Amino acid sequence: MDAKDILGLPKNSLSIPPEKKSRPQKDSQRKPDGISREVYALTGGVPPPLMPSLDVNQLKKRQKSENEKITWEWLSFTSSARKDDLKLYHWVRVVNGTPPTGDYSFAKYNKSVDVIKYTDEEYEKHLTDPEWTKEETEELFELCERFDLRFVVIADRFSTSRSVEELKNRYYSVSRTILIARAPSLADVSNHPLVKDPYNISQEVDRKRSLSMVLSQTKHQERKDAEVLSEAKKIMEARMAAAKAAQAAELAVTSNASPERMEKAAAAETASPSNIQATSGVAPLMSIAENAAAAAASLRKLKVYLRTYALDQMVQAASSSAGLRTIKRVEQFLQELKVNLKPKVPTKAVCAEHLELRKEILTLLNLQKLLQNKEEGSSYREGSYTETPDTPKDRAFVPDSVSFGAISTERVGKRDQKRKGPGREAPSSPAQSNKRPRKLKATDS
């Protein structure tokens, strides 16, 4: 008995079972060799190449003619680089049975040095040297031409014991002398390398000695030299930082001090007679020099700047210790001299002369101002010794009570009225209130 018997259902039901969805069959791909299973599962196949591959079909195909027949043959050849008639063999590409003609393809790379040659007259006239004989000089030039100025090989083949530096010095000195002697003027050969940069044997010897000392150092000496260089670098950096800080402080002081304040301070200092004697023309000149040095230091920080900008900065630095009136007087003085306030052609020499002229005018104005202040101070001292007028003795004495006006008068009147009692009049004028009051008796009270 089953559930259908219990429910009374027929055993052969007419219900159609649901159809199963058909899954698409996966193409069975075999994992290629050399790729791990994880990489193959992530990429789904062979990973793409890092560089894009070129399609062979896009490449330009070489068109071959139908009648062209190419063969390779073992043929002999000669080279123009060799002076003998030596024949060598190599494989040659032959097209249609005709071998290639012409010189050997690598013969163009055979380069030789053009060694200067001299005559006997030129040697006797220009090239005589007590340390070198004519035979040694001729041997040297022959070896230089043979070995293409390979002086190490030349020194090994040379008949006498000469160093490489001595051979170089003799060869280059002779070549330089011949070039100068054959030229119509020195200006024609001034740009030649042998004339422009002559060989210096002492410098070459020192260079090789220093190089040999460096190469022969031990590890301990190298570490010691590195420590010394690092300490020297730290000291230089500390000095440069201190110098930059001092320059920044000077620039900050000069920028914060306005021309009006400096002019007022200068006027206050020159007003007193004691300061007039102490002032001189040295202080303005020192301040001008310090300001110019500070401006030059600030300009050195700018690697590239216009010369007109540098001139303006130097003019401002030179005029920073002066007031606006003094600057205007300097400009007026320049106009009287028919000199432009800014040079039309601001070359280095013109700017330097213009700045020097401004400094001289400013110094002249400062000296004139000092002279004027000194004359005023001398007149002030002469006037201080004159006799002052006496105070007049016939001036009327005015009591303090009168100076206070009606308030003091009213108080005096009330006081007298209290003393005299009721019914008596107050004094009519302040003069009457100044009289001594009489002594009071017992009957008056």
Side-chain angles (χ1 to χ4, degrees):
M1 182 179 291
D2 54 2
K4 291 182 179 181
D5 295 335
I6 295 172
L7 295 174
L9 297 175
K11 292 184 178 181
N12 295 328
S13 61
L14 300 176
S15 61
I16 300 173
E19 296 180 357
K20 294 182 179 180
K21 295 181 179 180
S22 62
R23 295 181 180 179
Q25 294 182 358
K26 293 183 178 179
D27 297 335
S28 60
Q29 294 180 358
R30 183 179 176 277
K31 182 177 75 64
D33 297 334
I35 300 176
S36 63
R37 180 174 53 82
E38 291 80 4
V39 175
Y40 184 77
L42 290 173
T43 58
V46 180
L50 297 177
M51 298 296 293
S53 59
L54 297 176
D55 190 3
V56 181
N57 298 325
Q58 295 178 359
L59 297 177
K60 185 177 179 181
K61 295 182 180 180
R62 183 179 180 183
Q63 296 179 358
K64 293 184 180 180
S65 61
E66 297 178 356
N67 300 326
E68 187 179 21
K69 185 179 179 181
I70 299 173
T71 58
W72 290 85
E73 297 181 5
W74 182 256
L75 301 177
S76 63
F77 70 94
T78 58
S79 175
S80 62
R82 300 186 63 90
K83 296 181 180 179
D84 52 0
D85 296 332
L86 178 66
K87 288 186 179 182
L88 301 174
Y89 290 84
H90 63 164
W91 286 99
V92 181
R93 184 172 178 268
V94 179
V95 180
N96 295 330
T98 57
T101 58
D103 195 8
Y104 183 52
S105 59
F106 291 96
K108 60 184 178 180
Y109 298 109
N110 183 43
K111 302 294 181 181
S112 59
V113 180
D114 296 331
V115 178
I116 297 175
K117 297 181 179 180
Y118 55 87
T119 60
D120 295 338
E121 292 183 10
E122 290 176 340
Y123 185 87
E124 296 296 335
K125 188 175 181 181
H126 304 288
L127 305 178
T128 54
D129 191 351
E131 296 181 359
W132 284 80
T133 62
K134 186 177 180 180
E135 289 77 12
E136 287 180 337
T137 307
E138 289 177 354
E139 182 185 0
L140 172 62
F141 273 74
E142 181 183 355
L143 292 174
C144 288
E145 185 177 3
R146 180 181 174 186
F147 295 107
D148 293 334
L149 300 183
R150 298 183 182 93
F151 285 98
V152 177
V153 182
I154 294 169
D156 183 63
R157 302 291 196 279
F158 204 69
S159 59
T160 58
S161 59
R162 297 278 188 176
S163 63
V164 176
E165 291 78 18
E166 291 177 348
L167 296 174
K168 283 185 178 182
N169 186 34
R170 180 59 177 170
Y171 171 77
Y172 288 120
S173 62
V174 168
S175 302
R176 184 172 181 272
T177 306
I178 292 296
L179 282 173
I180 295 174
R182 291 177 181 177
S185 63
L186 184 60
D188 295 339
V189 292
S190 60
N191 292 327
H192 196 279
L194 294 176
V195 180
K196 187 177 181 181
D197 300 319
Y199 181 76
N200 191 350
I201 184 172
S202 61
Q203 183 178 358
E204 186 70 11
V205 170
D206 294 340
R207 184 186 69 83
K208 287 190 175 181
R209 186 187 296 112
S210 302
L211 184 61
S212 63
M213 289 174 62
V214 171
L215 294 176
S216 62
Q217 280 184 345
T218 60
K219 296 288 185 179
H220 178 69
Q221 290 176 346
E222 289 180 359
R223 287 195 297 269
K224 192 173 181 180
D225 291 344
E227 291 176 359
V228 172
L229 290 175
S230 63
E231 291 294 331
K233 186 177 180 181
K234 290 179 182 179
I235 293 171
M236 291 297 296
E237 289 177 354
R239 289 181 179 178
M240 291 176 65
K244 288 181 179 179
Q247 292 176 2
E250 290 179 1
L251 291 175
V253 170
T254 54
S255 61
N256 291 332
S258 59
E260 290 82 5
R261 293 181 180 177
M262 297 180 71
E263 188 175 1
K264 290 180 181 178
E269 290 178 358
T270 55
S272 61
S274 59
N275 289 334
I276 292 173
Q277 296 177 358
T279 55
S280 63
V282 179
L285 294 176
M286 291 296 292
S287 62
I288 290 171
E290 292 175 357
N291 294 333
S298 63
L299 286 172
R300 279 194 293 271
K301 296 178 181 179
L302 303 173
K303 295 183 179 179
V304 179
Y305 55 87
L306 295 176
R307 190 165 287 146
T308 53
Y309 173 77
L311 179 62
D312 293 340
Q313 294 295 319
M314 297 298 289
V315 168
Q316 291 179 6
S319 305
S320 61
S321 60
L324 292 177
R325 294 181 181 177
T326 308
I327 296 173
K328 289 182 179 179
R329 289 183 63 188
V330 171
E331 294 178 354
Q332 185 179 1
F333 205 97
L334 288 172
Q335 291 177 359
E336 291 178 358
L337 295 175
K338 296 181 180 181
V339 177
N340 295 325
L341 299 180
K342 290 185 178 180
K344 291 184 178 180
V345 185
T347 60
K348 186 176 182 180
V350 172
C351 291
E353 293 294 334
H354 184 83
L355 187 63
E356 188 67 25
L357 179 60
R358 278 182 173 270
K359 289 181 180 179
E360 291 179 358
I361 294 173
L362 189 60
T363 306
L364 177 62
L365 295 177
N366 288 331
L367 292 175
Q368 290 178 355
K369 190 174 182 180
L370 290 173
L371 180 60
Q372 183 180 359
N373 293 332
K374 190 172 182 181
E375 292 176 354
E376 291 178 358
S378 61
S379 62
Y380 175 79
R381 286 194 300 270
E382 291 175 0
S384 62
Y385 290 107
T386 57
E387 188 176 357
T388 57
D390 295 335
T391 304
K393 297 181 180 180
D394 55 350
R395 184 178 297 174
F397 175 73
V398 181
D400 295 337
S401 60
V402 179
S403 62
F404 289 98
I407 299 175
S408 60
T409 308
E410 184 179 357
R411 289 178 181 176
V412 174
K414 288 182 180 180
R415 186 170 63 248
D416 292 343
Q417 187 177 2
K418 286 180 181 180
R419 289 177 180 175
K420 291 181 180 180
R424 296 182 182 180
E425 296 180 356
S428 59
S429 63
Q432 294 178 0
S433 64
N434 291 332
K435 295 180 180 180
R436 288 184 68 183
R438 60 184 180 84
K439 294 183 181 181
L440 296 177
K441 295 181 181 180
T443 55
D444 293 336
S445 62

